[in-house]
Amino acid sequence: MQTESKGRESRGVGDLAREVEEQWPSLKYLSLGCYYAWIFLCYSSQVLEAWAGVDSFVPKFSMYISSTIALAVTLVLAAVFHRRFERLLERRRFVMLAALLASLATAALAYGLQSDPEGPIYHAGCVLTGVGTALIALRIGMVYGNLSARKALMLTSVSFLFATMIYFVCIGVPAVLGLDILTLLPLIAAVLTLSFTGSGQRGVAEKSAESPDHHLPHGFLVRLVLTIFVFSLAASFASGGAHSAVGLSSVSDDGSIAMFLIGLVAIVVFVISGVLSARFDLVRLYYPLILLASISLLVIPVTGGHLEGHGLLPTVVYNVFIMFIWVLLSHVSDRTQLSAVQVFGWGRGASALGTTAGNVLAMEIQTGSSDPTNMMVVASVALLFALAATAMVVLKEGALDDMFAKTGGDNAQGFSALLDPFAQDAALAGKGSWMRSCEELADAANLSKREREVLVLLSKGRTIEFIAEDLGISFNTLKSHVRHVYEKTGVHTRQELLSLIETRRNAMRG
C-alpha cells in the first residue's frame, strides 16, 4: 500500500509537471534568472547585512570566498563524475533537496551574520550555499543544454533581465521581506526546473545519429575552460580591488548601478538577437568583451586604483561575458556528445575558481602589501598580458568560428547561420547529404510544410518538448504531426525514422 501511495504521488507530480510544460514551455528557463538573482543579491547588495544590522565588508568577503570555493569544488567533482551526478540531477526529489539545502543555508547566513559572523553557523552556511547552488546550476545547465544557440541567447538575456527585476524588488522592499525572497530563490529556481525531464535529454546515441561529424575541435573545451578562468580572474581582480578599498554601502551602490546596466545590456541583446536580426553574430562580441576587460584593468595603473566606481565596468563586462559563455556551453552540450553536467561543470567551475582567485589576490594586495598601489599596478599589468595572450593565442575568435562550423552540421556557415535555424536548414539542404536525404524522404512521403519541419527536427534528435516550443505549437498538436510523419514514411519509432534517413544517405553516397 505504501509503495502504491508513493507511486500515485510520483505520478501526480509528473502529471503536473507535464501540464506546466505544455502550458508554459519557456517557464523553466527563468530558473537561470532566479539563480543569478540570488548571486547578485548575496554579493552585490546589503539584503543580508541590512537585516542583520552589519555594516562591515569583511563578513561579505568571507562569505564570498567560502561559498565560491565550495561551489567550484562541487562543480568540478560533478564534471569528473558526471554520470553519477546526471542520474541524481534527473531526480526531482534530489533537486528539491539540494534547493532546500541552499535556502536553509542562506537563512543560516543571515542568522549567523546577526549573532556571530565568526561562528560555525555562519561558516557552515557559507559552504552549504556553495554546494546547494552548484547543484542547482548544474540542473539549470541540463535544462539549457537542449537549446539551439539562438534560443539559448534569447532566453539567457531574458533570464538576466528577470534577475535584474528581482534584484531591485528585493532591495526596494523592507529588509525582512527582501531576506525572505532571497532565501526562497534557490527553491523557486528548482521548482521552475521540475517540468524538465532528464529522460528527455538526447543521449549519446541520439546525438551520434544526428550527425557523426558533430565534434569539437581538438582541445577546444580545455582552451575554453582556461579562457573562462583567465577572464574571470582579470575581471574579478579589477572589481575586487575597488570593493576592498571602500565600505559596504559603496559596494551596494555600485551593485545597483551595475545591475541596472546589466539589465539594459540584456534588453539590447534580446532585441538584436530576437527581433532586429535573426543573423546576429555573437562571436563578434568576443574581442569587444576582451577589450573592455582590458580597459577595466588599465584603469588601475592609470588612476592608481583610486577612481571612484571603477569596479562598475569589470562587473558589468564579467556578467555580459557570463551570458556569452552560457550560450557557448549550451551549444556545446546540445551539439556534441558531451553531457550538460560535464560542460557546465567545467565551464561554471572555471568561472568560480577565477573569480575567487581574483578577489583573493586583490584583497591580499590591499591589506597585506606594504605598497598596495604599486602592487595593484604590477598585478593589473600582468593580468592584462595574460588576458591578451589568452584571447590571441589560447582561444582566438577564429577558434570559436571553427567550433561552431564543426558542430553546426555538414555545411555550417559559422555562428551566424546557427542563430537562424531555418537559414541553416536551407544551407544544409543544398549540400549536406543528411539534409538532402530528409528532403527526398519528405518529397517521397508527400509531407506538408509543417510535417517537413517536424521531420527535420526529429532527425536532429530534438525532444518532443523542444520541437513543440520551437515551432510554437501545443504538445498535442505536435504529437499529431509526429504520428502523420511516421504513418506517411512507413515507420513506427524515431529510431526507424533515423535508420530510414541513414539508408537514403548511404544510397546517395554510394
Side-chain angles (χ1 to χ4, degrees), residues 13 17 21 28-29 31-32 35 75 78 85-96 98-99 131-146 186 189-201 326 340-341 344-345:
V13 173
E21 181 67 18
K28 57 183 174 291
Y29 300 110
S31 56
L32 179 63
Y35 169 68
L75 290 168
F85 276 83
E86 284 164 19
R87 288 194 293 269
L88 289 173
L89 290 167
E90 286 179 354
R91 301 174 183 173
R92 294 188 178 99
R93 185 173 298 178
F94 177 83
V95 174
M96 291 307 300
V131 175
T133 55
L135 297 173
I136 294 172
L138 292 170
R139 171 73 176 185
I140 297 172
M142 292 172 69
V143 172
Y144 273 75
N146 277 333
V191 169
L192 289 176
T193 68
L194 292 183
S195 62
F196 169 78
T197 56
S199 58
Q201 275 196 303
W326 197 267
V341 173
F344 284 93

Side-chain angles (χ1 to χ4, degrees), residues 117-172:
E118 299 296 327
I121 293 179
Y122 184 71
H123 288 292
C126 293
V127 173
L128 293 177
T129 53
V131 175
T133 55
L135 297 173
I136 294 172
L138 292 170
R139 171 73 176 185
I140 297 172
M142 292 172 69
V143 172
Y144 273 75
N146 277 333
L147 290 176
S148 64
R150 180 170 180 259
K151 184 146 288 187
L153 175 62
M154 296 177 66
L155 290 169
T156 300
S157 61
V158 169
S159 288
F160 271 72
L161 180 59
F162 185 53
T164 303
M165 295 167 60
I166 296 174
Y167 177 92
F168 284 108
V169 168
C170 285
I171 66 173

